[in-house]
Amino acid sequence: DCIASLASRSKAERPVIIVGSDKDLKQLLDDDVAIWDPMSTPEKLTTKASFQQETGLAPEQWPDVQALVGDTSDNIPGVAGIGPKTALAIFKEHPTLEDVQAHLDALKPSVRAKLAPAMDKTFLYRELTTLRREGCVPGTWKDFPRTAPDREALAAFLQEWELRSLAREYKADPSLGFGPAAAPQRTTEATLSLFEAPAAAPALPEVVRLAGTDDLPDVAGQALGLALHDGAPHAWVAGRHYRLEMDDQTLARWLRPAAAAYCPDVKALLRAHPALIASALENLQDVGLAAYLLDPEERDYSLPRLLDRLGPELDSPPPAIPAAQALALGQLLYRRVAETGMAELLRTLEAPLIPVLASMEATGIAIDRAAFREFLQDVTRELDNLERRIHQLAGRPFNIRSSLQLAQVLFTDLNLAPAGKTPGGKASTSQEVLEKLAGAHPVVQGILDFRKLEKLRSTYLEPLPRLADAQGVIRTTFHQLATATGRLSSSNPNLQNIPIRGEHGTRMRQCFVARPGALLVAADYSQIELRVLAHMSGDPTLIEAFRHGADIHARTAALLFDKPQDAVTPDERRNAKTINFGLIYGMGPQSLAQELQVSLKEAKAFIARYFEKLARLKAFYDEVEDAAKRDGFVLTLAHRRRLLPHIHSQNAQAASQARRQAVNTRIQGSAADIIKLAMLAVFRDAELRRLGAAMLLQVHDELVLEVPGEDDAAKVAGLRLQALMAGVLDNAPGLAPLDVPLVVDWGMGRTWAEAH
């Protein structure tokens, strides 16, 4: 915002060059404003003219584009399924979000289906990504006086906050950057030339192509860089650049004696060269993974982004060669990981998991195309029937997928009172709003049912079969660097989000099947997060319940409602279950009131009674919060660290969120550690390997395997899988078993539904 304000005020007096790589800055481009990114490879200069030529849009449209596409670095999700190409095409036709909303019906049906449900949120996303130009109150550069620093205090500050590159520069030249303010200079011809063409990229070292073994350099005991580029692995060894064109076995033999091979993305390397998975190279060091452990909130761990952040801290800038950059960044990041006490986590858990994920992605899971087709036909019929019923209830036909037309029907035709507004001030038709209006008119429930089926159709039933190969196998991508708690995620497609409950959940999982001549075996931890909570908090009530195999939710309900456990009603047990799980995720009284459909006062009373009966839990939550405030981070069972910079924020909402994240990370992050340890145990197990069992999926607390043969083989594999998962902490390095048992349920069958 400050850059935006200064650029906007200064461009009338002189040309302005913004130095930076943040995509938000593109909205500031003008005839006299350009953006220079010296850290990109090669360095890049963007002018208004080059932006318009590249996108076909005006810079002022850029916040609208980002609202649809999203920006992971700013935690703006965007609209699922809308990429840059689609967004640019939309805004060439309809210049603003308002125009897009007004002409939703004119969009292609596939685009409209993705955009319509999220349209209301896009206005908020645009607001978040729009830079403010009224900040930075000083009006000219003269209003920023520079004075000499307190040298001792500054040096101590830089050391305390680990600002290493600044500390190094300051030590070399204490006067650096603190001389008397110079008078503003008029722009020179050299500066003006930047608006015409970027500087030429530096010359690159010669690439040596190696196809055989004769000319391979000796890497024994050395650290090298290794990166995929133009379809082959490239290496940077002792200042020389090699393109490696040998087979995977030769590559593995050459790499094995190296002290370390730093790679931007080890999983991508293994997927491109699958034979390397079996070679079990322990010296492959994942640069992105190390960066993720140090800052799991960052989301982007690509080489350009890491160079942007860490480049100034390197002893010397590496050449613009990915392998060379991986070596320089990797050595820095692995030192940092060791300094923060996470070297063991990286060495024994996270790094060994990479080949496991690569193997699972390569194997994939089969689908039953006929079952998908039949399911889609039934859902399409049901949608058609619902559409006719909704039109009948509304009194006229309209496009149910159009937020604009839906708002017209609900709030004008039917005169319902709006229960929320869009950021633009219009009546909202979001899911949350419709749920609040559910009892106001029968048409609202019809629309909610329609949206549920529409999501099933558009998210799963239509796209999933198209993603299967000729053999009917779907391969997802597992993400190890995507969540702050350490949980894995899945995309393209997301197979961790397949519905599991109700009629649709069961039928959906029936569409996933074992290959011919095999069976699926699935095992999942029972209430693992509550068991972790019992262990970490030391709450005697929870521990006793889990040790004796009691129904934890019924036991909690008995305490809450002060009655014998056998007298607890289903509704009371359901309420206790909501509280048990909700408090792990930091659910407050408002969310609880909404979940239980009770008043805010009743929800607060529920929470107060819960902590009164389970007093040790309240003490545990307080201890976690105090530790987070003291240390600035929290640790999981396996010593994974999550920084919580907002724990001391003056913004009550930000501080409250940080407190929730602290508890959530301790519990959910530790559960993620346990399932990852289980994946390693299963992948390495000799008995499962002898049976030919292959791990296909991980869905948070569930593992799915495929086992060749009939029931006998699957049963042996299932029992072995159960034993490995239940006893995973018995021999885990540096970890002790929980104070409560890990209980594992398992099943087997031809379909995922039968096995689950």
Side-chain angles (χ1 to χ4, degrees), residues 92-147:
K92 283 176 186 175
E93 189 73 24
H94 309 289
T96 66
L97 286 177
E98 286 79 6
D99 291 318
V100 173
Q101 186 180 49
H103 298 92
L104 273 174
D105 294 346
L107 300 178
K108 289 194 300 185
S110 59
V111 175
R112 184 173 63 238
K114 296 169 185 172
L115 193 51
M119 195 69 228
D120 291 342
K121 293 181 181 177
T122 61
F123 293 95
L124 173 61
Y125 301 156
R126 182 177 65 182
E127 187 176 342
L128 292 172
T129 197
T130 299
L131 298 176
R132 305 287 175 240
R133 307 188 188 202
E134 63 277 359
C136 284
V137 174
T140 71
W141 300 104
K142 294 177 183 177
D143 294 323
F144 291 93
R146 285 178 285 170
T147 57

Side-chain angles (χ1 to χ4, degrees), residues 104-105 112 387 391 396-403 405-406:
L104 273 174
D105 294 346
R112 184 173 63 238
E387 185 172 38
H391 289 167
R396 68 176 178 89
F398 69 100
N399 183 352
I400 301 170
R401 297 175 180 88
S402 166
S403 297
Q405 292 188 32
L406 180 57

Side-chain angles (χ1 to χ4, degrees), residues 237-567:
V237 184
R240 298 200 69 186
H241 183 191
Y242 300 91
R243 190 178 195 271
L244 307 173
E245 300 174 353
M246 69 278 298
D247 61 69
D248 290 359
Q249 287 74 17
T250 304
L251 178 61
R253 282 196 301 273
W254 177 66
L255 287 171
R256 193 173 301 282
Y262 292 100
C263 184
D265 183 346
V266 170
K267 181 153 69 74
L269 176 72
L270 297 181
R271 288 300 310 275
H273 300 272
L276 290 177
I277 297 175
S279 65
L281 289 169
E282 295 184 358
N283 57 359
L284 289 178
Q285 313 282 38
D286 195 301
V287 176
L289 182 58
Y292 161 73
L293 290 180
L294 291 167
D295 187 359
E297 308 274 3
E298 175 60 30
R299 300 292 193 268
D300 184 351
Y301 305 99
S302 61
L303 285 182
R305 180 64 176 170
L306 292 176
L307 281 169
D308 198 23
R309 289 164 47 207
L310 303 172
E313 300 184 36
L314 299 173
D315 293 333
S316 60
I321 297 167
Q325 295 167 342
L327 174 60
L329 288 166
Q331 290 175 317
L332 170 65
L333 288 164
Y334 271 69
R335 281 199 306 272
R336 293 272 183 85
V337 167
E339 289 167 3
T340 53
M342 288 188 287
E344 190 75 0
L345 170 69
L346 180 54
R347 185 182 66 82
T348 63
L349 179 58
E350 292 293 344
L353 194 66
I354 297 172
V356 181
L357 299 177
S359 175
M360 292 166 67
E361 290 178 1
T363 305
I365 187 169
I367 64 166
D368 183 336
R369 291 184 186 276
F372 262 107
R373 194 161 47 246
E374 187 180 338
F375 195 0
L376 175 60
Q377 289 169 353
D378 290 348
V379 165
T380 303
R381 269 195 302 272
E382 202 170 339
L383 280 169
D384 290 342
N385 292 336
L386 261 175
E387 185 172 38
R388 282 192 290 272
R389 182 168 177 270
I390 289 168
H391 289 167
Q392 187 178 18
L393 289 168
R396 68 176 178 89
F398 69 100
N399 183 352
I400 301 170
R401 297 175 180 88
S402 166
S403 297
L404 200 65
Q405 292 188 32
L406 180 57
Q408 173 76 23
V409 167
L410 294 179
F411 308 122
T412 303
D413 297 1
L414 300 177
N415 204 27
L416 300 182
K421 291 187 177 181
T422 68
K426 297 180 180 178
S428 172
T429 59
S430 68
Q431 186 76 7
E432 184 181 356
V433 164
L434 291 187
E435 285 170 358
K436 290 178 183 175
L437 292 172
H441 193 282
V443 76
V444 179
Q445 188 57 53
I447 293 163
L448 287 170
D449 294 341
F450 184 92
R451 284 184 174 180
K452 186 177 178 181
L453 286 174
E454 176 67 12
K455 181 178 180 181
L456 193 66
R457 181 194 63 78
S458 62
T459 306
Y460 304 109
L461 298 179
E462 282 189 347
L464 288 184
R466 290 200 294 264
L467 294 172
D469 65 13
Q471 286 71 46
V473 173
I474 286 181
R475 293 174 175 85
T476 186
T477 299
F478 289 102
H479 300 285
Q480 199 173 355
L481 320 181
T483 70
T485 60
R487 292 180 102 184
L488 295 176
S489 67
S490 154
S491 69
N492 195 33
N494 182 358
L495 295 184
Q496 292 185 325
N497 205 29
I498 299 296
I500 60 174
R501 291 185 175 82
E503 175 196 353
H504 293 139
T506 300
R507 191 168 179 188
M508 178 62 69
R509 291 200 172 203
Q510 286 171 348
C511 297
F512 292 85
V513 297
R515 291 167 175 84
L519 292 172
L520 295 181
V521 173
D524 64 286
Y525 284 112
S526 170
Q527 301 172 331
I528 186 170
E529 290 175 350
L530 285 175
R531 292 173 190 272
V532 170
L533 175 62
H535 168 79
M536 287 189 155
S537 67
D539 185 85
T541 304
L542 290 180
I543 290 174
E544 183 191 0
F546 280 125
R547 282 179 177 173
H548 290 87
D551 181 334
I552 191 68
H553 303 310
R555 174 72 68 91
T556 304
L559 286 172
L560 282 176
F561 299 104
D562 220 4
K563 57 168 59 175
Q565 189 170 321
D566 56 8

